[in-house]
Amino acid sequence: MLSFFGMTFSHGVHPPDSKSLTEHVAIRRMPFPKRLALPLRQHAGKPARLLVRKGDRVQRGDMIAEADGYVSVPIHASAAGTVAAIDWWPHPDGTMAETVILDVEPWSPQIPRPRLVPDWNGLTPAQVRKAVQGGGVVGLGGAAFPTHVKLSPPADLELEWLLVNGAECEPYLTTDHRTMVEFPERVHFGIRIMMQCLGVQRAVVGVEMNKPDAIAALERTKPADLDVTIQPLVVKYPQGAEKMLIKVVTGREVPSGKLPMHVGAVVQNVGSIATIAEIFETGLPLIERVVTVTGSGVRRPSNLIVPVGAMLGDVLDYCGGLTDDAAEIVFGGPMMGSSQPDMRTPLVKGTTGVVVLTDREVKPKTTYPCIKCGHCLDACPVFLNPSRLGLLAQAGRYEEMRDAYHLMDCMLCGSCSYVCPSNIPLSQMFSLSKNMLRKQQDLVAASAPKKDVA
Amino acid sequence: MEAPRFELTASPHIKGPDSTPRIMWTVVATLVPVVGAAVWYFGPSALLVISASTAGCLLTERVFGPGGAVRDGSAAITGLLLGLTLPPGLPMWMAGLGGVFAIGFGKLVFGGLGQNIFNPALLGRAFLQAAFPEDLTTWPDMSGPWSALRGDNLALPLMSADPVATVTGATPLGLMKFEGTDTELVRLVLGSTGGSLGETAAVVILLGGAYLALKKYLDWRIPVAIFATVALLSALIHLLDPSKPGALFMLFSGGLMLGAVYMATDMVTSPTTPRGAWIFGFGIGALVVLIRLWGGLPEGVMYSILLMNALVPFIDRATKPRLFGTGKEAMA
Amino acid sequence: MSEHKLPMAESGAPPPPVQVESSSVRLVGTLAAAGAIAGLAIVLVFQWARPRIEEHQARVLAEAVTEVLGGPERWQTVFLESGSLTTAPSADTAGLDRVYVGYDVNGDPVGIALVAAEAGFQDVIRLIFGYDPGSGDVLGMKVLESKETPGLGDKIEKDSAFIGEFAEVGSPIRGVKKGRATDAHEEVVMITGATISSRAVIDIINHRLDALRDPLGRFWSSPRALGAADAASPARASGSTSTRGGA
Amino acid sequence: MRATTPREDLLRGIWRENPVLVQLLGLCPALAVTNTVANSLAMGIATFFVLLGSSVLVSSLKRWIPKEVRISAYILIIATFVTIADLVLNAVVPDIHKALGAFIALIVVNCMILGRQEAFASRRPVGRAILDAVGTGFGFLIALTLMGSFREVLGNGTFLGVRVLGEAFEPWIIMILPPGGFFTLGVILLAFGWWKERKVEQVRPRRWPHGVTTGVGGA
């Protein structure tokens, strides 16, 4: 379904974007708090392996945990300080996780150790990937998938496109937006490195049309020697989902169960691209990121550069604290983010924003029976039947959900829950159903006779 | 840590503007003009009959339904729609009984809102049709003062209507079927003909339907499919056999408008998939033409919709949407 | 009732409490014997019941004929064979169409009763009606069998006003809606709300008369002689026995 | 098989294990011919007669009926009684016989009757079989008459042909039509269920799958 004004995919939803709170607020650097909490698991894949002990002193940018395997990245100290404890600590995913508690050195100039800045131009793709992994870079769009893995396509796949995801379709969030507006050269520099590393000739930056200043900034700074297109996109959720972006830009659908690489595309978040550029500019690893702290429950909505590991309470305090009617705090966007009950929870690499909703904005609690209105079918970007899936989930028929109704293709974007007039927690039910199936599978695998693992 | 001060909910944390009660009450609101038209054409009788059926529905929902279910508005819709399918001269107790049946047997025995297979209003109407065939096919004459009752609306509960109180007229479809006479199209469109309360206000119904379709509170494909099927089929048949009525007559007579716009599009009992909606609408249209032209009854909208209601689970299963990344759109 | 006749007791030794295996001869024998006894029992009951059943059927027909012909003194079955009506058909009357002619005290024919059946609203309606070929009037109508909608279509057999309409009405009958009636002789006012069933009744009669008008007319032009000849025959009893089965 | 007292054998079929209302057996005639009390009674009595006759015969012949052909033998016996009942009804009450139509012949396949033969009469002494047949047959008769009364009174305003609800009563035609049979049975079963449920009153809140959080106070 092509729109008159821009490109988009079919289905999806139109939540109010609520970005006006922070879209014109320049990024500021938040001062270092007294304490930081650095979980060892801040990325998809295996948690990093601890390198420090209690009492160790670290400099800003020092590695405190190393990558444990291929799908893993190291963790670096985001400030100079002393390891106060290594303990179980509230984690943004709602669990307790092993975390390095760092007492930040007061009055420290926070100057990192001098380090070698690699010359990107002389590096092979493998060396670039190594530098990216060594910098602890993960997808900054929220999923926190280690970036270097995405840069390593199998030899038999021909890549055509580098897609840079600047859609930022989640309401409220403006981190990517401000990054594009304030650091367009850095974004283009990152694109240049990525294109060379991947060996692709074309790059497309997809930006939703509610960010005209970002589009203008990127256009203005576009290098002449590269084939980079800035593609305005219709404002619609989930425009920024990988599969949707690929569909919109290339016209291709990533086959069910396959990766973007299979249609010749690699998608990188604008923030990740900028971080990579920074590695090759300053040599500093991923120790801080841009976070939008917003919502009508925050007194001073801001776009901040926050050291990774800063705790929720400190960040909110810096933004003027909460209003009296603040009711719910969400890490990430309101569509896919998670509620946080605990002020000690740290902001991690994948935390795109902190959204504070007020009593008035919290979603209604009364649920009604499914009236089969079909609004969720119209919303689902991957064309599932959430209505039916929901009924099956309630009945506990998980296998049927997977086999007959393609549960595993659900990307939990929340569009169905958003439109459901009966307030049925569809997306949550699907997430749980997927977990149930995964557990079942693990059980089956565990009970199967062990194969010889060499 | 202090007691949890903050909400802890699953994503998404924001919610679209639509809610089930809002949808239902909007439908009710669009039905108000239709009820108004019924009162305009049929006088106070219309109000009596519709109030009785609505009261029957609301009361049943209140007594036997889950707590607070009356507030979601679905029982009110059922009551209004049921009332609109009834003849103006019907005793109020019958209309009320129809409402009780519609909610009790049409909805609650299936497990309440969202669980029923058949449109409750039509099931109530079918029950009344089977229970009191004579009263349900007694069409009052349209002449006479506006304020006069069109029949024995006030008959005592369980008692027969006084046949003397009813001056019978005929419906356009009845005239077509049994007398072979046509009714002027202008009168059909304007609604100044005999028939059920909601059969005669085509324009008002279409306007209400258009508004609901715009708000996405009904699937526009269903009425469009029904109208197209009925129009094309009857035009074709009219060409082959000019003694059969033409497309416009078929569209504007009987309960087709009300049925296509308000009954067939009942979310619970219609397919959820777009292709399913087309099939569903086509099935209803074809059945309506078949029953009207060759069946024993003058009108077939009610049975057509109920029959297709029964097929909805199969239609839904057969028209699963194409999964993203499969079929010819996907590139492997 | 017939257990003592079952032969198993004699044919085998008293069976052991636990039957290991029965020979197929015994199985078949047991069933055959049981079947024979059952058959015998049924035949006995049938012998008792048959005359009563037949008598009832005859009585129903007799009542119907009497009713639609306005109470004739006696009546007689007349067969339709090769296009004309005859009182003396060839030997096998089983497949023949038949009508019933009624006579008054003087032996003069008063009318002919005809059975007819056609599809109504729900299922076939079977009815009997009296007809006077002389005047062309229908004399009366009675529904014998119908499955019309209770409370609506079934008024064709219950609504005395409607049934009364068929007494002395000209043919072919024309059905009119209530309130539209003129005083025409061949008009029947239909039942409100049961137009289809009412019209079916009228059509059944009209169609039957259309089909038989000629033979009825020819028969009527010479019935007096027949009537006179028939006067000697036993009255109602003969009529009833010869009409077994109906049309 | 659990030992039962004669009293239990007699009473069991009437209420606690009523063939129609509890075991849901013999529903075909219960739905089809209960449109008037007279029809219900005739059907009930005919079935009673067939059940009693068959039970007596099966029970007394059980030693001689080979196990391999016992079902055929039961059917033969039942069919004989059914045919007799059919003929007698036709001769004695021809109008009712006409109204019952094929359903008399269908008593043969009434699983309730065959079930009693297989489960009871073929294993018990004649006396007990008679008690059981009387109880079950009477239970069936009661259920049919209950439905018949309900349907005739509402559907026709009469009971056994006698007007009970006044001249002006508007009959609910649907009750004497086949759907009325379903409604009646449904309502009776509903009442039964409700009556039983009342003793074990439980609150069963609507549940999402384990772990799903929603607010409280939902509908």
Side-chain angles (χ1 to χ4, degrees), chain A residues 25 62 69 71 74 84 90 92 123 126 237 240 245 255 260 267 288 311 364 386 394 446-447:
Chain A
V25 179
D62 282 359
V71 189
L123 296 180
Y237 180 86
L245 191 68
V267 182
E288 56 192 24
M311 293 184 218
Q394 247 174 298
S447 63

Side-chain angles (χ1 to χ4, degrees), chain B:
Chain B
M1 193 72 198
E2 59 192 288
R5 179 190 151 193
F6 297 106
E7 299 274 347
L8 199 56
T9 64
S11 65
H13 306 279
I14 51 174
K15 179 65 195 59
D18 283 344
S19 75
T20 297
R22 184 164 159 169
I23 293 178
M24 297 291 178
W25 288 112
T26 310
V27 175
V28 169
T30 65
L31 278 173
V32 168
V34 183
V35 173
V39 176
W40 167 263
Y41 289 122
F42 296 99
S45 280
L47 212 55
L48 290 179
V49 169
I50 295 173
S51 321
S53 64
T54 311
C57 284
L58 292 176
L59 216 70
T60 313
E61 182 92 339
R62 178 83 188 71
V63 174
F64 296 105
V70 170
R71 263 171 290 155
D72 69 28
S74 61
I77 296 184
T78 303
L80 289 179
L81 284 178
L82 172 64
L84 287 170
T85 62
L86 299 175
L90 197 72
M92 285 173 73
W93 71 266
M94 287 184 192
L97 184 71
V100 172
F101 186 88
I103 294 296
F105 278 77
K107 193 163 101 175
L108 294 178
V109 291
F110 288 99
L113 179 64
Q115 311 281 312
N116 48 309
I117 299 168
F118 299 103
N119 184 317
L122 284 180
L123 216 59
R125 153 90 204 197
F127 166 79
L128 287 177
Q129 173 88 58
F132 313 110
E134 193 176 353
D135 301 86
L136 265 283
T137 47
T138 303
W139 310 105
D141 196 24
M142 287 291 287
S143 55
W146 178 83
S147 58
L149 290 189
R150 303 285 160 173
D152 196 1
N153 292 124
L154 303 173
L156 288 175
L158 299 185
M159 296 299 140
S160 305
D162 178 7
V164 183
T166 317
V167 184
T168 55
T171 65
L173 280 169
L175 288 172
M176 184 271 286
K177 184 133 211 155
F178 301 125
E179 320 253 313
T181 48
D182 256 347
T183 309
E184 275 174 74
L185 194 64
V186 186
R187 289 185 54 210
L188 284 176
V189 175
L190 290 180
S192 56
T193 59
S196 295
L197 291 169
E199 279 188 356
T200 60
V203 179
V204 189
I205 293 170
L206 282 178
L207 284 177
Y211 176 73
L212 290 179
L214 213 68
K215 297 277 281 180
K216 297 208 169 148
Y217 290 172
L218 62 76
D219 191 342
W220 57 273
R221 298 175 189 92
I222 295 173
V224 167
I226 295 176
F227 292 146
T229 310
V230 169
L232 289 177
L233 268 184
S234 48
L236 190 74
I237 293 163
H238 184 64
L239 263 180
L240 299 174
D241 176 5
S243 72
K244 302 285 185 199
L248 284 173
F249 177 85
M250 290 287 276
L251 282 182
F252 284 99
S253 58
L256 190 71
M257 284 290 157
L258 189 72
V261 174
Y262 280 103
M263 308 276 200
T265 55
D266 171 20
M267 288 168 166
V268 175
T269 57
S270 62
T272 44
T273 62
R275 268 190 306 152
W278 289 115
I279 296 172
F280 181 70
F282 168 77
I284 292 176
L287 282 171
V288 166
V289 173
L290 280 180
I291 295 179
R292 279 190 183 176
L293 296 187
W294 290 287
L297 300 159
E299 176 59 307
V301 173
M302 173 176 81
Y303 294 113
S304 305
I305 296 177
L306 286 175
L307 270 170
M308 292 306 292
N309 279 165
L311 295 183
V312 164
F314 303 101
I315 295 178
D316 264 345
R317 213 160 299 164
T319 57
K320 267 186 234 166
R322 177 190 68 88
L323 176 67
F324 186 91
T326 58
K328 61 179 191 308
E329 314 257 339
M331 302 230 337

Side-chain angles (χ1 to χ4, degrees), chain B residues 8-10 93-94 97 101 105 115 126-127 130-133 135 158-161, chain D residues 154 165 167-175 177 179 183 186-187 190 206 213 219:
Chain B
L8 199 56
T9 64
W93 71 266
M94 287 184 192
L97 184 71
F101 186 88
F105 278 77
Q115 311 281 312
F127 166 79
F132 313 110
D135 301 86
L158 299 185
M159 296 299 140
S160 305
Chain D
L154 271 184
L165 284 181
E167 277 306 313
F169 173 75
E170 174 76 22
W172 305 18
I173 308 293
I174 194 170
M175 297 312 287
L177 297 176
F183 293 146
V187 167
L190 213 66
R206 191 191 180 104
T213 54

Side-chain angles (χ1 to χ4, degrees), chain A residues 159-211:
Chain A
L159 294 183
E160 270 183 71
W161 280 287
L162 168 67
L163 301 186
V164 181
N165 191 349
E168 202 163 46
C169 55
E170 276 272 11
Y172 288 100
L173 301 187
T174 54
T175 58
D176 292 348
H177 181 179
R178 288 315 299 179
T179 304
M180 288 185 284
V181 170
E182 297 182 37
F183 312 111
E185 292 92 350
R186 191 177 283 169
V187 172
H188 282 303
F189 179 49
I191 291 173
R192 185 181 291 277
I193 299 168
M194 287 295 97
M195 285 174 77
Q196 179 180 309
C197 173
L198 293 165
V200 298
Q201 297 308 312
R202 274 195 283 170
V204 179
V205 187
V207 185
E208 276 190 352
M209 289 187 305
N210 58 356
K211 312 174 192 40

